Amino acid sequence: MLSKYPLSDVEKSFLQESGVEKISTLIPYLQVDNFPKLGLLTACRFLEWAAANPEGVISLPTGKTPEFFIKWTQFLLENWDNKKGKDIREKYGLGNTKKPVLKDLTFVQIDEFYPISAKQNNSFFDYVNKFYIQGFGLSKEKAILINSDEIPLANGLHFSAVFPDLKVDLSLRFRDPKNDLEKLQQESIYMIDQWCGEYEQKIRDAGGIGFFLGGIGPDGHIAFNTRGSHLFSVTRLTETNFETQAVAAGDLGGIEISSNRLVITIGLDTIVYNPDAVAIIIAAGEAKAGIVKDSLETPMNNVFPGTVLQKLKNGRFYVTKGAGVKLTDSIDAYYQKGEWTWEKTERSVIDLCKKLGKYGHRIKLTDLKADKYTKLIPDLSEETVSQVMKSIENKLSKGLEQESNEVLLHTGPHHDDISLGILPHITNQLHEPSNEAHFSVLTSGFTAVTNTFVIETLQSTKKLLDNGQIQMVNFEDFFEVGYSLKTDKDVYHYLTNVASEKADQRLRGLCHRVVRALVIVYEIKNKTQLRETINDVISILKNSYDGEKNSAKVQKLKGMIREFEEELVWAHFGVQVKNVHHLRLGFYTGDIFTEQPDKDRDVEPIVEMFRKVNPTKISLTLDPEGSGPDTHYKVLQATAAAVKKWGEEKDISDLRIIGYRNVWFKFEPHEANVIVPVSLGDMSVMEDSFANCYLSQVNASFPSYSHNGKFSTVAKRIWVDQLDAIQLLLGKNYFYQHERAQVRASHGLIFFRDMNVEEFLATARELEKSIEGML
């Protein structure tokens, strides 16, 4: 028996398919290949449970994580009795299961921001109603929901009157109010606390949650039970931590809002109250690997909220291979199964250096023989470590090679992805005049621009127009053709004023470009219309709630601001605007679930760009599992399909594909085959260009959960960490005594993978297979 707990028929089928032969964790887990497959597993298990518990109590997650769970559940219910549905059911333990009827289930909402209007599309109340109550045909009457508009407050007032700035000060629970408003707020907080207690009671009166499905945050939060939450916690109004606020920033329109918003959440004890509950935590991608390991391998502990599932015989984690990669079981299986590869030798030796805190040249044969992984290396000898050192040196040598006569096409899913991934490598390429460089961002990236940023920029634009400082609008043909000319001049003007430290003139450069964008987006014909449009857009945005989906025109305007930022970065190195290609792929819509890439709409523009540029090398983010934003792996799919199609038209056997990663997803040394040294100068260039050019990102409205600040700082820290790992193997003196100045100057390293077309397509094909036949 792989686990001390019995598995359901669905779980047995997926376990068998996974090939996992040992589960030694404190909570059983199932592992699947990728994110879409995770959705299939959870959908099958949910439908299996629902068929057996037609009047049960369920609690399902919100956000992007359950995308494929929702899609697969609907797919199976719609196709239960046809061949497509039957084949899947037979394969995954649902062959004899009667089609479940969901209408009599009681739905419990897990959590909600507070205060937030239930009418807003970014409220969890709205999400639950759209995707679960309506989408699954559940009973609205039986549902136990959190509607912030209806939670009673002092004097029967609405939250907008009690908390006019939408901030709730929980210190009022324990101190005297200073004025009448605080008195009202204190009374209201006590009433919310009372409401939360009644909410908890309703769940318990229903017997507790029978089927719970939730995601896990980077800090380990389950629902909004963040690190340190009491294992016996119940439904409550509470604050969150930075990691949780960073993750929620996308829903709420920026960290500025999510850091000031409280949450109402069910507690850890709410989840495990019913001893027979099926409680499942899902996790995808290597970014979650550390917290998955801690949650599954640590005895019950409030630092890791997921450990509370140890209380349940049906507590489970369902994870992708990436999310499970740090589990002891996974590492054991990696080394013990299949043929031994050089990659395994490299990984085991580098990991041993870390484990022992020893430099490579100090590792002895006895150390290698004593470690459970290095002892498996075939032909283990005194030479083993030096062979690994030589292999890593070769990767560094590749990173030092000066490329020439190349046509380089660097691509990224979002603006700043290329810069954060491999800027120092690109700098080396651009120093060689025989290279021709092109840059392409495949989505318009508008979701990263806040309403506040656009409002402030438009107000500045208005002021400059009033003062006659945007002279181009006075040219006779400006509104006919002039708006589309001299875009390089905007860029040059802006960067000149970066150099001369004139912040007001830099702003003027941005406003020039915004005027051009407005003319294009709104088809403006004269100065009067330009002013009216600016006023209209400001008014629309001021009357939008934070995180609201913008109109197509505002999305385009925001996207064009991002595009200008990208042009500024590459103009640092003399790259012209015509060599920066903005693809704006159509699947990127700003909806909670973006569509899968479409052959004609999303793949053809990439092929067209390949034809036009005719690159000899293409770089792209190699994020096969959706570890970061889902845009990354959707862009990877579209790019792989485009490379394949282009290969049908011409011989691309000499084409090289550079797979890089950045702040969302990292290569380990054994996975990369090229290592590029990064100097302090390189780091400064990246930090400066980020701060000076990505204007909409400098305040980090949508930061990484690992750092409350600019993404460039996160990237720099990753490069420094990567150097630390290699220095431990090669020794510090290898670097500071090296014959090459470039190596002596390195204080960070970049890892990437250089592939031929066949290798790249094989990597991408796995992802493509995962969603075949689903939609």
Side-chain angles (χ1 to χ4, degrees):
M1 192 61 160
L2 281 169
S3 154
K4 59 181 175 178
Y5 298 120
L7 301 177
S8 77
D9 289 345
V10 164
E11 289 177 323
K12 285 175 190 164
S13 305
F14 277 91
L15 179 63
Q16 196 176 349
E17 187 180 77
S18 72
V20 171
E21 291 170 4
K22 181 181 77 171
I23 296 176
S24 62
T25 51
L26 298 168
I27 301 166
Y29 67 91
L30 288 174
Q31 190 168 283
V32 292
D33 288 341
N34 49 57
F35 191 35
K37 194 67 168 279
L38 189 63
L40 176 60
L41 164 58
T42 47
C44 288
R45 181 68 185 105
F46 168 64
L47 292 170
E48 179 183 43
W49 182 89
N53 300 273
E55 294 183 359
V57 179
I58 62 169
S59 207
L60 305 174
T62 51
K64 286 184 183 290
T65 308
E67 174 181 3
F68 288 103
F69 161 69
I70 290 168
K71 287 179 176 173
W72 274 117
T73 299
Q74 289 172 332
F75 175 88
L76 286 166
L77 287 171
E78 285 162 18
N79 295 278
W80 197 265
D81 292 318
N82 67 25
K83 188 179 184 317
K84 259 184 176 180
K86 275 182 179 167
D87 287 350
I88 292 168
R89 290 199 292 117
E90 289 291 339
K91 189 174 179 182
Y92 294 115
L94 287 171
N96 299 321
T97 305
K98 197 168 169 249
K99 183 179 177 180
V101 176
L102 307 184
K103 68 178 177 60
D104 294 321
L105 295 170
T106 297
F107 185 92
V108 172
Q109 187 173 333
I110 294 175
D111 47 24
E112 182 60 281
F113 300 112
Y114 189 87
I116 189 171
S117 172
K119 297 179 188 75
Q120 289 184 200
N121 289 335
N122 60 343
S123 72
F124 291 155
F125 180 86
D126 181 80
Y127 183 110
V128 160
N129 274 282
K130 185 189 292 173
F131 293 110
Y132 294 134
I133 307 293
Q134 292 164 28
F136 285 7
L138 302 174
S139 162
K140 187 148 194 176
E141 292 66 43
K142 293 183 82 170
I144 302 171
L145 304 177
I146 306 169
N147 182 333
S148 297
D149 293 316
E150 292 177 1
I151 295 174
L153 303 178
N155 299 346
L157 293 169
H158 185 259
F159 67 69
S160 54
V162 179
F163 306 107
D165 58 359
L166 302 182
K167 291 180 185 175
V168 182
D169 180 0
L170 290 184
S171 72
L172 282 164
R173 278 183 179 144
F174 317 111
R175 65 174 175 84
D176 290 335
K178 293 174 186 168
N179 51 46
D180 287 344
L181 179 62
E182 282 202 346
K183 210 172 177 182
L184 200 65
Q185 291 176 338
Q186 184 184 63
E187 192 184 332
S188 296
I189 289 168
Y190 292 148
M191 290 176 75
I192 297 166
D193 291 342
Q194 174 70 18
W195 182 92
C196 288
E198 289 164 3
Y199 189 87
E200 179 76 20
Q201 194 58 52
K202 279 184 197 170
I203 297 169
R204 297 192 175 209
D205 288 347
I209 297 165
F211 185 94
F212 174 86
L213 180 63
I216 187 166
D219 68 318
H221 71 251
I222 307 293
F224 277 126
N225 296 285
T226 54
R227 188 179 50 244
S229 291
H230 202 296
L231 291 172
F232 292 93
S233 53
V234 292
T235 304
R236 65 207 182 279
L237 174 68
T238 185
E239 293 169 333
T240 55
N241 55 14
F242 169 72
E243 294 99 324
T244 307
Q245 290 158 11
V247 172
D251 294 313
L252 291 177
I255 190 82
E256 308 86 346
I257 296 101
S258 61
S259 61
N260 287 310
R261 206 59 60 91
L262 299 190
V263 294
I264 292 173
T265 180
I266 62 172
L268 295 174
D269 200 51
T270 322
I271 295 167
V272 300
Y273 172 73
N274 176 351
D276 296 318
V278 170
I280 299 162
I281 300 300
I282 50 176
E286 281 194 33
K288 297 280 175 71
I291 195 62
V292 165
K293 178 183 172 67
D294 290 333
S295 301
L296 288 177
E297 296 184 358
T298 309
M300 215 181 307
N301 186 314
N302 68 337
V303 178
F304 303 115
T307 58
V308 77
L309 265 59
Q310 290 172 33
K311 290 184 177 184
L312 297 173
K313 63 179 183 289
N314 291 313
R316 304 279 188 272
F317 268 61
Y318 291 173
V319 301
T320 62
K321 269 189 179 161
V325 78
K326 289 186 178 174
L327 292 172
T328 305
D329 292 344
S330 297
I331 298 169
D332 286 351
Y334 169 81
Y335 286 115
Q336 291 161 5
K337 284 170 72 175
E339 61 170 320
W340 189 272
T341 59
W342 178 251
E343 197 180 81
K344 291 181 183 182
T345 299
E346 270 190 10
R347 179 178 172 180
S348 59
V349 168
I350 292 168
D351 284 352
L352 182 62
C353 290
K354 281 188 212 165
K355 268 185 247 174
L356 301 179
K358 273 187 178 183
Y359 288 113
H361 62 272
R362 294 208 173 125
I363 296 282
K364 296 184 167 55
L365 187 57
T366 50
D367 294 324
L368 294 169
K369 285 179 174 174
D371 181 73
K372 72 170 176 174
Y373 301 134
T374 51
K375 72 178 183 186
L376 302 172
I377 297 171
D379 306 319
L380 196 58
S381 73
E382 299 279 1
E383 298 301 307
T384 300
V385 178
S386 56
Q387 286 166 353
V388 171
M389 290 165 81
K390 188 78 199 143
S391 171
I392 296 295
E393 286 175 40
N394 289 340
K395 294 180 186 187
L396 261 162
S397 298
K398 277 189 193 170
L400 291 166
E401 285 171 11
Q402 183 61 65
E403 297 153 282
S404 57
N405 299 304
E406 299 281 6
V407 180
L408 307 156
L409 174 59
H410 294 292
T411 73
H414 305 96
H415 306 82
D416 73 24
D417 275 327
I418 305 169
S419 172
L420 294 170
I422 47 170
L423 181 62
H425 176 59
I426 293 169
T427 310
N428 295 341
Q429 294 174 327
L430 294 174
H431 283 156
E432 169 51 54
S434 66
N435 290 332
E436 179 190 327
H438 293 258
F439 299 86
S440 179
V441 178
L442 276 68
T443 70
S444 82
F446 57 80
T447 57
V449 182
T450 62
N451 289 350
T452 305
F453 181 84
V454 178
I455 291 166
E456 287 171 359
T457 305
L458 290 176
Q459 285 169 336
S460 300
T461 305
K462 217 161 63 159
K463 204 176 283 181
L464 289 167
L465 284 166
D466 290 343
N467 297 337
Q469 286 185 281
I470 300 185
Q471 293 144 350
M472 63 183 182
V473 297
N474 298 320
F475 297 158
E476 207 175 291
D477 65 346
F478 178 74
F479 292 98
E480 283 75 52
V481 66
Y483 67 85
S484 64
L485 307 173
K486 297 190 176 176
T487 47
D488 279 304
K489 189 180 174 186
D490 295 342
V491 171
Y492 191 75
H493 171 91
Y494 182 96
L495 293 180
T496 298
N497 288 294
V498 167
S500 57
E501 299 180 43
K502 293 178 182 169
D504 58 329
Q505 290 302 312
R506 266 167 45 194
L507 178 60
R508 191 171 155 228
L510 170 65
C511 293
H512 264 78
R513 179 55 72 90
V514 166
V515 167
R516 294 183 192 277
L518 286 164
V519 173
I520 291 166
V521 174
Y522 292 92
E523 299 176 352
I524 294 166
K525 299 300 177 203
N526 53 55
K527 285 192 278 186
T528 308
Q529 198 188 341
L530 175 61
R531 276 170 198 286
E532 287 169 357
T533 304
I534 290 172
N535 287 330
D536 285 349
V537 176
I538 291 172
S539 172
I540 287 165
L541 293 178
K542 278 187 169 175
N543 289 312
S544 300
Y545 56 80
D546 292 303
E548 182 174 356
K549 186 181 174 184
N550 297 126
S551 68
K553 286 188 174 178
V554 171
Q555 286 181 351
K556 192 172 180 186
L557 176 64
K558 285 184 170 184
M560 290 176 86
I561 290 170
R562 293 293 271 140
E563 290 165 1
F564 177 56
E565 293 174 344
E566 195 72 13
E567 289 166 11
L568 291 173
V569 170
W570 304 118
H572 270 67
F573 309 98
V575 175
Q576 289 182 291
V577 168
K578 68 180 174 63
N579 280 26
V580 184
H581 310 272
H582 308 300
L583 257 57
R584 306 176 188 169
L585 296 185
F587 77 82
Y588 187 84
T589 57
D591 292 313
I592 183 112
F593 302 143
T594 54
E595 300 168 36
Q596 292 301 316
D598 175 82
K599 203 159 46 181
D600 298 322
R601 181 194 61 198
D602 300 314
V603 176
E604 193 51 43
I606 307 175
V607 181
E608 189 48 49
M609 180 174 63
F610 291 164
R611 293 179 190 126
K612 189 174 157 189
V613 173
N614 203 19
T616 57
K617 283 193 175 183
I618 297 170
S619 76
L620 44 80
T621 48
L622 197 65
D623 185 2
E625 220 196 51
S627 302
D630 63 347
T631 312
H632 282 222
Y633 74 86
K634 287 177 180 175
V635 161
L636 179 66
Q637 278 176 271
T639 308
V643 167
K644 205 169 164 187
K645 189 162 193 272
W646 194 40
E648 290 162 8
E649 296 175 12
K650 64 167 283 183
D651 178 11
I652 55 169
S653 52
D654 291 335
L655 178 69
R656 303 300 300 178
I657 309 283
I658 305 301
Y660 66 87
R661 290 178 181 165
N662 54 35
V663 297
W664 301 107
F665 195 52
K666 295 177 287 201
F667 279 121
E668 293 299 325
H670 64 276
E671 296 175 301
N673 57 14
V674 180
I675 298 177
V676 177
V678 180
S679 68
L680 284 173
D682 291 326
M683 291 179 194
S684 296
V685 169
M686 189 204 38
E687 288 266 36
D688 287 350
S689 62
F690 194 96
N692 289 322
C693 302
Y694 292 121
L695 294 170
S696 63
Q697 306 306 298
V698 171
N699 293 329
S701 288
F702 305 99
S704 160
Y705 59 83
S706 62
H707 173 62
N708 190 1
K710 302 193 299 288
F711 276 122
S712 51
T713 308
V714 183
K716 188 173 81 170
R717 287 176 182 173
I718 289 167
W719 297 346
V720 171
D721 286 346
Q722 291 178 168
L723 173 70
D724 288 347
I726 299 303
Q727 272 187 344
L728 200 51
L729 176 72
L730 299 181
K732 286 185 180 175
N733 58 337
Y734 172 85
F735 288 88
Y736 66 75
Q737 292 179 349
H738 201 277
E739 61 190 32
R740 293 281 296 268
Q742 211 177 332
V743 178
R744 292 197 300 274
S746 59
H747 293 281
L749 295 174
I750 287 172
F751 300 158
F752 63 80
R753 196 185 295 162
D754 184 334
M755 301 166 281
N756 62 31
V757 172
E758 211 172 292
E759 288 165 330
F760 165 62
L761 290 177
T763 304
R765 204 170 291 131
E766 289 308 305
L767 181 71
E768 194 183 12
K769 274 196 315 204
S770 70
I771 54 164
E772 270 174 16
M774 173 187 163
L775 301 169

